[in-house]
């Protein structure tokens, strides 16, 4: 008797996941805690482990299929229950046949229940739009008649679908050649985001009757939209800015960066210095390290810094936990590790949870002024803008060229008032300006 494996709860607000890749196939032996598949959600990509030893006998949810939490995804025959020892035996025991060879069982399921026929996963939509497949013409082999990625691939192999009447909204857009990009001037500071290269024009989507292009909204983009709207709707945003002279910090980094790279194997960017100034100031002003919780304010004991990391098509906010306990070196390695995991799509749920204050390095792509949206339910978000050289008056009416930077903070006015926010921002400024060419880190 095989044991049902269901889609696990991968986060408090996660209600469904998409099967990105099966790591085990029918007939494969599975060890306890060994990953059996990769699941993509609107927050993270995660591996689903087996909770016992056994043999995979049946895959229910196909790759590209979106499954609600608690729904069946596969079956594993556990040890001591006459486990199947080979793929052929597993297949005869009832493994799901490929879409190209639909089984009678699959036909019966889709014939009796078409409740999910018109629910499409992001992977299915993307494939169909790239290859001009009319999903309404396909017969789904997934649960409730749902069209899976393999159904679309089968249609592509067979030359696509031929709808009776092709409307303008169904005509696939041919890919236009992309002109070589003009090299842009290098920014004054190394990018801390996962990628600051502008994304190429989207080639997916369909052309509408008026010539506009309709682009499907991914799960990640939907989540970003919902949270940004929620933050702006619920939190009364206030904004403040200060100017910082970071000439000493720039000189210090220039002195250390080559040796640091050789010794530690990672680039010394400005971001760790920014985070260090923030966490030390949060210790002085713990009200900034708080969250809004219904009708109360909770001061958080731990200082966990969320850092905004951008990719070409989304924005992620992974967390450096207990950032106040880390040195400049520790923060450098933490930032690099999270950026690399974001690029590789390997962020885990724990990497995205527990943030208490957000730092955004908008200066990495040349911004000099921004008004960021608060990462609710946190109290504030602080952006560090581009470092630029310009003449500054100081001393007895003297001029000098200095490295100047704006720091911009949005705050939740339910939690904070301007006085407290201003004092905090001033301490961040003072800490950054205290660095000199010979400072020790």
């Amino acid at each position: 008797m095989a044991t049902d494996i269901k889609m696990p709860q991968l986060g408090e607000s996660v209600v469904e996941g998409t099967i990105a890749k099966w790591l085990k196939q029918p007939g494969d032996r599975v060890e306890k805690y060994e990953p059996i598949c990769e699941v993509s959600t609107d927050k993270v990509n995660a591996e689903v482990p087996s909770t016992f030893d056994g043999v995979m006998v049946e895959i229910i949810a196909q790759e590209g299929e979106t499954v609600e939490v608690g729904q069946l995804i596969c079956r594993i025959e556990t040890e001591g229950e006459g486990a199947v020892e080979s793929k052929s035996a597993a297949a005869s025991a009832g493994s799901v046949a490929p879409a190209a060879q639909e089984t009678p069982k699959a036909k019966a399921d889709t014939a009796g229940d078409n409740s999910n026929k018109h629910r499409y996963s992001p992977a299915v939509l993307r494939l169909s739009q790239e290859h001009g497949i009319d999903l309404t013409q396909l017969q789904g082999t997934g649960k409730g008649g749902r069209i899976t990625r393999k159904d679309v691939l089968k249609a592509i192999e067979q030359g696509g679908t031929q709808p009776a009447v092709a409307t303008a909204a169904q005509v696939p857009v041919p890919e236009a050649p992309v002109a070589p990009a003009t090299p842009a001037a290098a920014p004054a500071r190394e990018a801390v985001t996962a990628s600051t290269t502008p994304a190429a024009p989207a080639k997916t989507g369909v052309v509408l009757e008026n010539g506009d292009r309709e682009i499907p909204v991914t799960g990640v983009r939907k989540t970003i939209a919902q949270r940004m709207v929620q933050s702006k709707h619920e939190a009364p945003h206030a904004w403040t800015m200060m100017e910082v002279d970071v000439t000493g910090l720039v000189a210090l980094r220039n002195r250390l960066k080559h040796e640091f790279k050789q010794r530690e194997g990672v680039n010394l960017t400005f971001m760790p210095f920014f985070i260090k100034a923030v966490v030390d100031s949060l210790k002085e002003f713990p009200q900034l390290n708080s969250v809004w919780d219904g009708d109360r304010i909770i001061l958080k004991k731990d200082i966990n810094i969320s850092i905004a990391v951008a990719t070409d098509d989304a924005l992620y906010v992974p967390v450096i936990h207990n950032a106040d306990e880390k040195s400049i070196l520790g923060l450098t390695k933490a930032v690099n590790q999270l950026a690399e995991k974001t690029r590789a799509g390997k962020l885990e749920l724990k990497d995205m949870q527990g943030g208490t204050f957000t730092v955004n390095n908008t200066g990495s792509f040349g911004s000099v002024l921004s008004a960021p949206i608060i990462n609710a339910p946190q109290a504030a978000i602080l952006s560090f803008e581009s470092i630029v050289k310009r003449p500054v008056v100081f001393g007895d009416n003297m001029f000098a060229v200095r490295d100047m930077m704006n720091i911009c903070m949005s705050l939740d006015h339910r939690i904070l008032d301007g006085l407290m926010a201003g004092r905090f921002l001033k301490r961040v400024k003072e800490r950054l300006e205290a660095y000199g060419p010979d400072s020790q880190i």
Side-chain angles (χ1 to χ4, degrees), residues 18-38:
T18 300
I19 303 295
K21 181 180 180 181
W22 279 105
L23 304 176
K24 293 292 181 179
Q25 296 298 322
D28 289 347
R29 180 172 178 78
V30 179
E31 303 290 340
K32 189 175 183 180
Y33 304 127
E34 186 178 12
I36 58 175
C37 68
E38 294 178 356

Side-chain angles (χ1 to χ4, degrees), residues 264-439:
E264 306 297 342
V266 293
N267 291 322
L268 178 62
T269 68
F270 289 105
M271 190 65 158
F273 295 96
F274 299 159
I275 296 173
K276 184 66 173 172
V278 167
V279 297
D280 288 346
S281 300
L282 287 174
K283 290 181 179 180
E284 287 188 49
F285 301 94
Q287 295 88 341
L288 275 290
N289 195 55
S290 61
V291 298
W292 181 265
D293 183 31
D295 58 352
R296 58 182 182 167
I297 296 171
I298 299 177
L299 296 180
K300 306 298 287 186
K301 176 177 68 70
D302 295 332
I303 297 179
N304 301 329
I305 299 298
S306 304
I307 58 171
V309 180
T311 64
D312 285 340
D313 57 0
L315 177 69
Y316 297 88
V317 194
V319 178
I320 301 175
H321 293 90
N322 302 117
D324 57 314
E325 299 176 2
K326 298 182 184 297
S327 63
I328 293 294
L329 173 59
L331 291 171
T332 299
K333 291 185 174 181
V335 169
N336 275 273
Q337 182 184 42
L338 289 175
E340 289 174 359
K341 292 179 76 171
T342 302
R343 294 188 198 102
K346 297 295 185 181
L347 285 174
E348 303 173 48
L349 191 61
K350 64 181 181 180
D351 296 325
M352 303 291 287
Q353 294 180 326
T356 59
F357 188 95
T358 298
V359 170
N360 194 7
N361 185 24
T362 46
S364 63
F365 49 83
S367 170
V368 295
L369 197 67
S370 64
I373 297 177
I374 298 166
N375 184 14
Q378 297 174 13
I381 177 173
L382 180 56
S383 286
F384 292 86
E385 306 298 328
S386 183
I387 298 173
V388 297
K389 289 185 179 293
R390 59 184 181 82
V392 176
V393 178
F394 72 100
D396 189 16
N397 295 328
M398 297 178 63
F399 286 87
V401 175
R402 309 289 290 178
D403 291 294
M404 304 300 295
M405 176 183 68
N406 295 326
I407 53 176
C408 308
M409 187 168 72
S410 296
L411 56 124
D412 186 341
H413 227 321
R414 296 173 301 179
I415 304 174
L416 301 169
D417 294 320
L419 179 62
M420 183 66 65
R423 287 174 175 171
F424 167 79
L425 205 58
K426 183 180 179 182
R427 288 298 289 135
V428 174
K429 167 186 168 73
E430 290 171 349
R431 284 188 161 90
L432 291 175
E433 291 183 338
Y435 285 108
D438 300 320
S439 296

Side-chain angles (χ1 to χ4, degrees), residues 65-144:
E65 185 173 348
T66 300
V67 181
E68 294 181 359
V69 170
Q71 284 191 352
L72 182 65
I73 60 173
C74 70
R75 291 189 175 96
I76 296 178
E77 192 165 275
T78 57
E79 293 289 334
E81 296 179 348
V84 182
E85 296 295 338
S86 67
K87 289 190 176 182
S88 59
S92 65
S95 62
V96 176
Q101 299 177 345
E102 187 178 43
T103 63
K105 178 179 178 297
K107 288 182 178 179
D109 287 346
T110 56
D113 180 9
N114 286 324
S115 60
N116 289 328
K117 181 172 176 59
H118 299 295
R119 293 181 60 194
Y120 309 126
S121 71
V124 166
L125 285 172
R126 181 172 63 254
L127 270 176
S128 66
Q129 290 161 352
E130 287 176 351
H131 295 275
I133 301 298
D134 182 2
L135 295 177
T136 63
Q137 304 297 312
L138 300 185
Q139 180 67 43
T141 59
K143 183 175 181 180

